Amino acid sequence: MGVYVHKSVLELADLTNREKLVLAYFFNLKLKKINLSNKEIALTLNFSAIEIKKIVLSLKNKKYISLVGNTTKREIKIKKNLEMKFEKATFNGFNLDDDILKLDLNTTKKFVLAEIRSLISSKNGKCTASNLHIANLLKLKERAIQTALLELEKNGFLKRNLKNVNGKTERTIILNLNNTATDETAVNFNEIKEEVPEQQYNDEVLAIFKSFPKRPMMSDFKVEEQKSLCLPILKSKSKDELEFIKFVIGFNVKNNESWKAGFMPYMYKFLEVDKEKYFNEAVKLEFDKFRNKPKVNANLQLLNLQLERDLFDFFSEIEESVWEATDLEILKEFKIRYINGYLKFNDIDFNKRALKKIKEYRPSNLNF
């Protein structure tokens, strides 16, 4: 069944979220007179009867409802009618389903989960809305959304994934309502995170936390406070996301003048509050360049340098008639004199690169 919360209810600035939920429930009943007891309302909305009693009295005092009769036989009448229009291609509200209602969460978090599910259903199975967008829809402060998402992710109700889409960082929110979500939204989080041994993954997370520069005169208490805030955030990230975070830290240490001067933010602010400032498109492009840069094999570089030197000495010491031999014959002769210096290198790499060098040394008019 659930409760549909229309945007006209969300816009009531003088009500708390709990009061909005109860009022929305009354509107859902579509009855002129509501004869439900506090206990019955509480059972439906997963509140205590005492909480419902306080909310009903508050709605009465704010003149949204009136109460007729005594405690044992009471009628609730809605006094303030709201205009509940439903417009196409716009936000009209969301349905708070029973599986969300029954969760042991505060009303703000339930609203956030319900709105994310609504966005997933209307946006091809994806929710890419920003914190500000969700806050505007729910008529809440952006900070309240940030806190709610962090705690919901920490407790496994959702996961946030970052990825590069056409040069921009896109965040996708995936729901995991203890396997009570629909087939489209239910996700096995173990399948999302790469298969990395847990201890190794925790060590990587801790290393990233320690790599974040400490502010001058930062107390041990503040360090532990930041650690308790940041480790759950980092542990919720995939390996690719951790690589990006590690890169952004290093990028700012090298390029951000305020960081060089010791005016870096606290790590929690860096990860959550100001993340759009630090994890922006320009830095993502730098990260992609860094990630796609060809990996340097120091061993092969050393092999090339050694061959360059030894082949030069080899050709300077022997007769020019050596070019009458094939490349393989020249390589065989070279090995007789210099092989002891190449025992640590892979034999296939050695042969391949030595033959390439011999071809380069061979005079163009004496190609064999």
Side-chain angles (χ1 to χ4, degrees), residues 194-248:
E194 293 85 349
E195 290 185 9
V196 179
E198 185 176 356
Q199 186 56 49
Q200 180 187 336
Y201 189 81
N202 289 339
D203 289 346
E204 288 177 14
V205 164
L206 190 58
I208 290 173
F209 173 77
K210 289 181 177 178
S211 73
F212 195 87
K214 295 181 178 64
R215 298 177 69 172
M217 308 298 291
M218 193 169 169
S219 67
D220 291 341
F221 175 80
K222 196 66 181 178
V223 172
E224 287 304 312
E225 178 192 63
Q226 287 293 299
K227 191 174 182 180
S228 65
L229 286 170
C230 297
L231 289 188
I233 300 171
L234 294 172
K235 285 181 180 179
S236 71
K237 305 297 182 184
S238 68
K239 192 173 181 184
D240 284 345
E241 290 170 332
L242 289 179
E243 285 295 320
F244 184 38
I245 292 170
K246 186 162 58 174
F247 173 82
V248 176

Side-chain angles (χ1 to χ4, degrees), residues 164 166-169 244 247-248 251-252 255 275-290:
N164 182 37
N166 299 325
K168 294 183 179 180
T169 301
F244 184 38
F247 173 82
V248 176
F251 181 84
N252 279 281
N255 302 293
K275 58 185 172 185
E276 291 181 5
K277 172 183 175 182
Y278 293 107
F279 299 89
N280 53 44
E281 183 180 347
V283 177
K284 189 68 172 68
L285 289 173
E286 290 296 322
F287 176 62
D288 289 338
K289 287 180 193 174
F290 166 78

Side-chain angles (χ1 to χ4, degrees), residues 96-326:
L96 199 55
D97 297 317
D98 289 334
D99 61 335
I100 295 178
L101 275 174
K102 74 180 183 182
L103 295 173
D104 187 18
L105 298 170
N106 66 32
T107 309
T108 298
K109 291 175 187 172
K110 291 179 182 180
F111 279 12
V112 170
L113 287 174
E115 178 51 30
I116 290 171
R117 174 180 277 177
S118 173
L119 290 168
I120 288 172
S121 299
S122 62
K123 300 290 183 181
N124 300 321
K126 291 172 66 177
C127 174
T128 57
S130 67
N131 291 352
L132 181 59
H133 181 71
I134 297 172
N136 288 337
L137 295 179
L138 300 181
K139 305 304 176 187
L140 295 169
K141 291 182 179 179
E142 188 178 1
R143 186 61 183 268
I145 301 301
Q146 290 170 348
T147 302
L149 288 175
L150 174 62
E151 293 177 4
L152 287 168
E153 187 168 32
K154 180 180 176 181
N155 291 305
F157 292 104
L158 57 82
K159 179 173 176 62
R160 292 172 287 181
N161 281 338
L162 292 175
K163 71 175 182 177
N164 182 37
V165 178
N166 299 325
K168 294 183 179 180
T169 301
E170 179 184 274
R171 181 188 72 176
T172 303
I173 302 176
I174 304 166
L175 291 185
N176 183 45
L177 301 177
N178 295 331
N179 297 321
T180 60
T182 63
D183 291 339
E184 290 180 339
T185 58
V187 177
N188 182 348
F189 278 15
N190 292 326
E191 292 176 0
I192 294 175
K193 194 173 285 184
E194 293 85 349
E195 290 185 9
V196 179
E198 185 176 356
Q199 186 56 49
Q200 180 187 336
Y201 189 81
N202 289 339
D203 289 346
E204 288 177 14
V205 164
L206 190 58
I208 290 173
F209 173 77
K210 289 181 177 178
S211 73
F212 195 87
K214 295 181 178 64
R215 298 177 69 172
M217 308 298 291
M218 193 169 169
S219 67
D220 291 341
F221 175 80
K222 196 66 181 178
V223 172
E224 287 304 312
E225 178 192 63
Q226 287 293 299
K227 191 174 182 180
S228 65
L229 286 170
C230 297
L231 289 188
I233 300 171
L234 294 172
K235 285 181 180 179
S236 71
K237 305 297 182 184
S238 68
K239 192 173 181 184
D240 284 345
E241 290 170 332
L242 289 179
E243 285 295 320
F244 184 38
I245 292 170
K246 186 162 58 174
F247 173 82
V248 176
I249 293 170
F251 181 84
N252 279 281
V253 168
K254 291 177 183 176
N255 302 293
N256 192 317
E257 293 301 322
S258 66
W259 284 39
K260 291 178 184 178
F263 297 107
M264 70 288 295
Y266 287 118
M267 191 176 189
Y268 176 79
K269 194 167 185 235
F270 163 80
L271 287 172
E272 287 295 309
V273 181
D274 291 339
K275 58 185 172 185
E276 291 181 5
K277 172 183 175 182
Y278 293 107
F279 299 89
N280 53 44
E281 183 180 347
V283 177
K284 189 68 172 68
L285 289 173
E286 290 296 322
F287 176 62
D288 289 338
K289 287 180 193 174
F290 166 78
R291 190 164 50 176
N292 295 327
K293 190 183 294 183
K295 297 293 186 290
V296 175
N297 189 320
N299 210 40
L300 291 180
Q301 280 191 326
L302 180 60
L303 174 60
N304 273 335
L305 290 171
Q306 197 166 322
L307 281 169
E308 190 80 42
R309 181 196 65 200
D310 291 342
L311 280 168
F312 180 84
D313 291 342
F314 173 70
F315 288 123
S316 66
E317 292 173 358
I318 60 177
E319 302 289 335
E320 286 191 9
S321 59
V322 69
W323 298 117
E324 296 175 5
T326 66

